[in-house]
Amino acid sequence: MAYRFIRWFEELRKEDVPLVGGKGANLGEMTNAGIPVPPGFCVTAEAYKYFVENVRVEDGRTLQEWIMDIISRTNVDDSKQLQENTAKIREKIISLEMPEEIAKEIEQAYKELSQRFGKDEVYVAVRSSATAEDLPEASFAGQQETFLDVLGADDVKDKVKRCWASLWTARATFYRAKQGFDHSKVYLSAVVQKMVNSKTSGVMFTANPVTNDRNEIMINASWGLGEAVVSGAVTPDEYIVEKGTWKIKEKFIAKKEVMIVRNPETGKGTVKVPVAEYLGPEYVEKQVLTDEQIIEVAKMGAKIEEHYGWPQDIEWAYDKDDGKLYIVQSRPITTLKEAESAVTEAAESEEAEIVLKGLGASPGIGAGRVVVIFDASEIDKVKEGDVLVTTMTNPDMVPAMKRASAIVTDEGGRTSHAAIVSRELGIPAVVGTKEATKKLKTGDYVTVDGTRGVVYKGIVKSLVEKKEEAAAAAGGQVVVAGAPLITATKVKVNVSMPEVAERAAATGADGVGLLRAEHMILSIGQHPVKFIKEGKEEELVEKLAEGIRTVAAAFYPRPVWYRTLDAPTNEFREMPGGEDEPEERNPMLGWRGIRRSLDQPELLKAEFKAIKKVVEEGYNNIGVMLPLVGHPEQIRKAKEIALEVGLVPHKDVEWGVMIEVPAAALIIEDLIKEGIDFISFGTNDLTQYTLAIDRDNDRIAYLYDETHPAVLKLIEHVIKVCKKHGVETSICGQAGSDPKMAKILVRLGIDSISANPDAVELIRKVVAQEEQKIIFEAARKKLFEEDELEF
């Protein structure tokens, strides 16, 4: 049958993230690359979207409208309110009936998958794959639900719906809010994959996530299903393998008390069982993988990394039925940092009393008061700066983790979800200590070394002071051993939220190529124009100034380009006070960007007042960037509004525009005559407007291509004209984080590239290599010309 809501792995590639999320797209990519992936299909994000936009709740609203109303009234930092409101959403999704057109397609696809194995029904895993999940700039690992050993079409349909519901767990909602993702634009696909009946399984990082050594592969392994390793239910074996030589450099054989297996009583779902009883007492401390298997797993990881061109976080398993190695998931590692040297710290801490040892899961030093908790319901006990101690760090504890100065757990390995999140949050963590919750008591004071994997009694001043000195000396930047890469093309960073400014600055970026206004304005909790009409303009100005100041200070004197508000009507409508927002068939083509700002000058004035306030405090590194400009008159009017509040373009601030519509690219000379210091390409919009492609439309998303000749010609034209007139050129769209696009832009002569925080290091390396290649090609050409003349 022809499917609308189903895609088989064979039909998918890595570009299909908008359709099936990161997990689904990667499974399709690996399948087509010849990686041994268990077969399966994806229930696309379009199915979830169809569900929430067409199924209605009791009061007649669509489910999507009902959900967004609840979320708009939820303070994500209030743990109790967050848990209560998200629970309501999950219950509602599960209680509503799946549309028949989706249900029938799932039944048919499951039947076809089963027939591939000559059976009426096969065991499958049903996994969530959010459309913002597993992207290079975000680690959503484990944020949504996974169901193992699912059997029968009805069970599959039920688990798909529960996957949809898990998009609204407290932890997933909190994570999206803090990472700056728009809840209304994150959809969820469900992956239905033939279940591997695992004898052994685990996780592998193709770069050491603790030491950041790209030449080492770290493998975690345990008995049974991999869920035990990912969730942190067991401290797994750990093996370190050197790439190329395939030498096993280190082995840590853990005491594996429990394992997860298919429920032997019901034949469905999974249960946790004692290893000693299920396999025998000798397996508790037995090496899980043979040396040959360790090398086989490592080589497979290297093959996958080579295919993607970036270190990967991979879930693998050996099937006890056929003995073969299978790969069930792969995603890019998003938490690689430059390693901190612990040599001096180790020398200074010899006399400090060590109370616990474990695995260093997230590098750095943290110190504070211990708070021991055993359940997510206790997370409010953890205050800012406390050391969170628990049996295993559950994803529901993320709000408390964010407040903690360090994290210590009894169980878990370096590749557990909790360890990954700790590294992403930049919080020191020690896992797998076995007895942290017994040895440490609430009220104790400890110092945690997440690099060496040790916990010291009391506050070790030499370690804490060393950390503070290093931070002060670095000016908030990561200390990098050896000479940093110097590139003629500047590499900047995109910043969505002021809260991440320090970490974004630590990438060593040459400035901020895009500071978004949306999250600062939308965080006030109601429509900003309503806020101003209620006489709260000064409060809005201060809120904006606070955010801009935070970023400007973190990067000073490096430039920070602030983009004025660019929120479509559908985003504003969901806010309290947004009832008067117009209904638009396609908000992306509607009343947004500079168009809205000039029609609602009171809001643009508030933004300019906030910038003026920060500039007067001495931050002269700010630039103003106008979005969606299509006519010189828009630049002129925006300057007039700026002058009205005392902000002088070109004097107080640099003045620039986004090149997002073909019109702006075609009349770039006219825009320059109006007076601009810089331009930045917004390739997301420029591509969809040039090619007439709605990038949110799954049916045509495969046609979306930033490297299309028409898009590149517009970019090339703008860069040439700007070079002629001395106007700086940059890019801040998603394409700026794509190595392939970076190479093209360097050759076109762009002045800077602004990438997402986790892509800065990679893009800088790509830029440096391409610049060196250009120099080499020019030198070789000159040499050949000279040889020809002599001849």
Side-chain angles (χ1 to χ4, degrees):
M1 68 181 282
Y3 290 110
R4 176 183 175 186
F5 301 109
I6 300 292
R7 292 291 186 279
W8 294 93
F9 291 171
E10 294 88 337
E11 300 175 274
L12 299 169
R13 297 293 189 279
K14 61 185 177 183
E15 293 80 15
D16 291 314
V17 172
L19 182 65
V20 294
K23 194 175 286 128
N26 279 334
L27 288 169
E29 180 72 17
M30 288 191 293
T31 297
N32 286 287
I35 305 297
V37 174
F41 59 88
C42 294
V43 182
T44 65
E46 177 63 29
Y48 170 82
K49 189 178 179 184
Y50 184 89
F51 176 65
V52 297
E53 290 180 354
N54 288 276
V55 173
R56 296 187 177 273
V57 297
E58 294 80 2
D59 61 9
R61 286 182 294 173
T62 66
L63 179 56
Q64 177 78 338
E65 291 169 340
W66 182 83
I67 291 172
M68 288 302 110
D69 178 50
I70 290 179
I71 291 299
S72 69
R73 293 182 281 106
T74 302
N75 176 6
V76 297
D77 291 311
D78 182 336
S79 300
K80 185 179 178 184
Q81 185 189 65
L82 178 63
Q83 288 178 6
E84 288 176 353
N85 286 357
T86 52
K88 285 179 190 174
I89 295 173
R90 294 196 304 277
E91 288 165 11
K92 180 68 72 176
I93 290 173
I94 293 168
S95 69
L96 293 170
E97 192 171 343
M98 180 184 287
E100 187 178 354
E101 46 268 59
I102 300 175
K104 282 185 176 178
E105 289 198 8
I106 293 174
E107 290 169 6
Q108 181 60 30
Y110 176 70
K111 181 179 178 181
E112 286 184 33
L113 179 62
S114 300
Q115 287 173 345
R116 288 192 189 187
F117 297 90
K119 297 182 179 181
D120 293 330
E121 296 179 333
V122 290
Y123 284 99
V124 294
V126 182
R127 303 171 183 269
S128 65
S129 183
T131 54
E133 183 180 10
D134 301 335
L135 300 181
E137 70 272 15
S139 178
F140 275 73
Q143 292 294 324
Q144 278 83 48
E145 201 62 82
T146 289
F147 300 95
L148 305 178
D149 284 310
V150 178
L151 185 67
D154 288 342
D155 202 11
V156 172
K157 287 184 292 183
D158 175 67
K159 296 306 186 288
V160 167
K161 202 157 58 163
R162 290 178 184 274
C163 276
W164 290 346
S166 73
L167 190 62
W168 299 102
T169 60
R171 64 177 181 266
T173 307
F174 178 87
Y175 189 91
R176 287 196 301 271
K178 293 303 179 183
Q179 293 295 325
F181 286 90
D182 183 345
H183 294 291
S184 68
K185 293 181 179 177
V186 178
Y187 303 118
L188 191 138
S189 167
V191 175
V192 180
Q193 184 178 27
K194 170 71 168 63
M195 188 74 197
V196 178
N197 193 12
S198 308
K199 178 182 180 181
T200 58
S201 58
V203 177
M204 141 174 64
F205 279 2
T206 62
N208 192 318
V210 179
T211 65
N212 299 285
D213 190 335
R214 303 293 178 90
N215 293 316
E216 290 183 347
I217 292 176
M218 176 191 285
I219 300 169
N220 279 191
S222 192
W223 307 111
L225 299 175
E227 192 67 15
V229 178
V230 175
S231 68
V234 65
T235 301
D237 282 4
E238 182 173 289
Y239 319 118
I240 305 295
V241 181
E242 187 174 65
K243 287 179 186 172
T245 66
W246 309 114
K247 176 185 175 184
I248 301 172
K249 295 173 69 176
E250 294 177 32
K251 287 183 188 177
F252 168 75
I253 311 304
K255 193 174 182 180
K256 300 162 285 290
E257 305 280 4
V258 297
M259 61 189 291
I260 294 176
V261 298
R262 181 179 297 159
N263 191 326
E265 294 181 8
T266 64
K268 286 187 178 183
T270 60
V271 291
K272 190 189 296 183
V273 297
V275 170
E277 293 179 17
Y278 195 84
L279 295 178
E282 70 274 18
Y283 282 86
V284 173
E285 296 189 57
K286 182 179 179 180
Q287 182 174 315
V288 173
L289 295 181
T290 65
D291 288 0
E292 291 77 13
Q293 287 175 324
I294 292 171
I295 294 167
E296 183 184 16
V297 171
K299 285 183 175 179
M300 182 60 71
K303 180 179 178 181
I304 296 170
E305 178 185 296
E306 184 180 3
H307 177 77
Y308 283 105
W310 183 255
Q312 297 287 301
D313 169 1
I314 300 164
E315 291 181 31
W316 56 269
Y318 275 100
D319 195 314
K320 67 181 181 182
D321 296 330
D322 61 20
K324 292 181 180 178
L325 171 65
Y326 289 96
I327 302 300
V328 296
Q329 186 176 330
S330 182
R331 56 179 168 260
I333 301 175
T334 63
T335 55
L336 291 176
K337 308 179 184 73
E338 296 295 340
E340 297 176 16
S341 171
V343 176
T344 308
E345 293 179 354
E348 289 188 4
S349 61
E350 289 302 319
E351 296 180 8
E353 183 183 344
I354 296 175
V355 292
L356 277 173
K357 286 187 178 182
L359 297 169
S362 181
I365 302 294
R369 183 182 73 102
V370 168
V371 176
V372 181
I373 64 173
F374 294 94
D375 189 81
S377 63
E378 302 176 278
I379 62 175
D380 287 340
K381 294 178 182 178
V382 181
K383 307 301 179 186
E384 196 72 36
D386 287 343
V387 174
L388 168 60
V389 177
T390 188
T391 308
M392 64 181 80
T393 320
N394 188 293
D396 286 317
M397 297 178 183
V398 169
M401 292 170 70
K402 192 169 182 289
R403 296 191 292 270
S405 62
I407 293 158
V408 184
T409 70
D410 291 342
E411 302 295 343
R414 286 169 169 165
T415 57
S416 64
H417 168 268
I420 294 172
V421 172
S422 297
R423 288 193 290 271
E424 183 167 324
L425 293 174
I427 298 167
V430 176
V431 300
T433 63
K434 296 297 183 188
E435 47 190 1
T437 57
K438 294 176 183 175
K439 280 198 170 185
L440 302 178
K441 307 295 180 188
T442 296
D444 291 349
Y445 281 85
V446 296
T447 299
V448 178
D449 185 338
T451 305
R452 300 175 67 217
V454 294
V455 180
Y456 300 98
K457 182 178 181 180
I459 306 296
V460 182
K461 288 185 179 179
S462 61
L463 291 181
V464 175
E465 287 170 2
K466 192 75 181 174
K467 174 190 174 185
E468 292 171 351
E469 286 170 14
Q477 295 183 34
V478 174
V479 179
V480 181
L485 279 174
I486 304 297
T487 58
T489 309
K490 294 177 184 175
V491 179
K492 299 180 180 179
V493 66
N494 299 331
V495 175
S496 294
M497 299 180 292
E499 294 90 333
V500 302
E502 289 293 339
R503 296 192 64 218
T507 63
D510 296 315
V512 177
L514 170 63
L515 171 59
R516 293 181 174 92
E518 290 75 54
H519 296 291
M520 288 184 269
I521 289 179
L522 297 177
S523 67
I524 64 175
Q526 68 179 61
H527 198 295
V529 173
K530 182 174 186 286
F531 213 67
I532 293 170
K533 286 179 179 176
E534 290 177 353
K536 300 177 184 176
E537 185 193 20
E538 280 308 310
E539 193 176 330
L540 175 60
V541 168
E542 183 49 49
K543 179 87 174 174
L544 284 169
E546 181 185 340
I548 297 167
R549 183 188 302 115
T550 298
V551 181
F555 280 86
Y556 192 84
R558 293 169 284 173
V560 172
W561 290 350
Y562 170 91
R563 186 183 70 184
T564 57
L565 184 65
D566 185 19
T569 51
N570 57 329
E571 291 184 14
F572 268 135
R573 196 182 307 115
E574 301 299 333
M575 302 187 73
E579 304 82 15
D580 296 330
E581 283 292 306
E583 290 276 354
E584 295 183 312
R585 287 189 179 180
N586 191 335
M588 294 300 287
L589 290 172
W591 197 42
R592 52 172 285 219
I594 192 64
R595 304 165 181 175
R596 175 193 282 272
S597 295
L598 295 179
D599 286 348
Q600 294 183 319
E602 62 273 29
L603 186 49
L604 189 58
K605 280 183 183 178
E607 291 184 82
F608 287 157
K609 284 179 181 179
I611 293 169
K612 181 174 183 285
K613 190 170 189 174
V614 178
V615 169
E616 288 175 345
E617 293 170 9
Y619 294 103
N620 60 353
N621 58 326
I622 301 170
V624 169
M625 190 157 63
L626 306 176
L628 221 70
V629 166
H631 196 282
E633 183 67 20
Q634 294 169 326
I635 301 173
R636 189 178 310 131
K637 287 182 178 178
K639 284 184 178 180
E640 289 171 1
I641 294 171
L643 289 169
E644 283 179 31
V645 303
L647 183 69
V648 183
H650 313 297
K651 179 185 175 185
D652 296 335
V653 291
E654 286 193 316
W655 201 264
V657 298
M658 297 281 293
I659 303 296
E660 298 167 287
V661 296
L666 294 170
I667 63 165
I668 182 62
E669 200 125 24
D670 296 325
L671 301 183
I672 291 172
K673 286 176 184 175
E674 194 56 50
I676 55 174
D677 301 304
F678 65 87
I679 66 94
S680 185
F681 295 104
T683 49
N684 299 5
D685 279 336
L686 184 61
T687 302
Q688 74 170 350
Y689 296 151
T690 302
L691 304 181
I693 289 172
D694 177 0
R695 54 195 165 98
D696 294 328
N697 185 332
D698 296 334
R699 288 179 179 272
I700 56 172
Y702 70 96
L703 294 170
Y704 181 87
D705 179 14
E706 297 105 326
T707 62
H708 188 285
V711 179
L712 293 182
K713 280 187 178 180
L714 289 173
I715 291 173
E716 183 178 16
H717 169 67
V718 171
I719 291 175
K720 280 183 178 177
V721 175
C722 286
K723 287 279 184 197
K724 177 182 170 185
H725 294 280
V727 173
E728 186 177 348
T729 56
S730 188
I731 180 175
C732 59
Q734 185 62 36
S737 300
D738 180 359
K740 182 172 136 188
M741 188 65 162
K743 290 179 183 180
I744 295 170
L745 292 168
V746 169
R747 288 192 173 267
L748 290 178
I750 201 162
D751 294 311
S752 67
I753 296 174
S754 192
N756 296 321
D758 288 315
V760 168
E761 181 188 1
L762 172 63
I763 295 302
R764 192 181 291 283
K765 286 179 180 177
V766 169
V767 167
Q769 288 169 356
E770 199 63 21
E771 288 180 346
Q772 289 169 2
K773 193 174 177 184
I774 292 169
I775 293 169
F776 175 74
E777 288 170 356
R780 186 166 59 179
K781 183 180 178 184
K782 185 178 179 184
L783 182 64
F784 287 165
E785 286 172 352
E786 289 174 353
D787 284 348
E788 225 172 85
L789 286 171
E790 287 176 14
F791 181 77

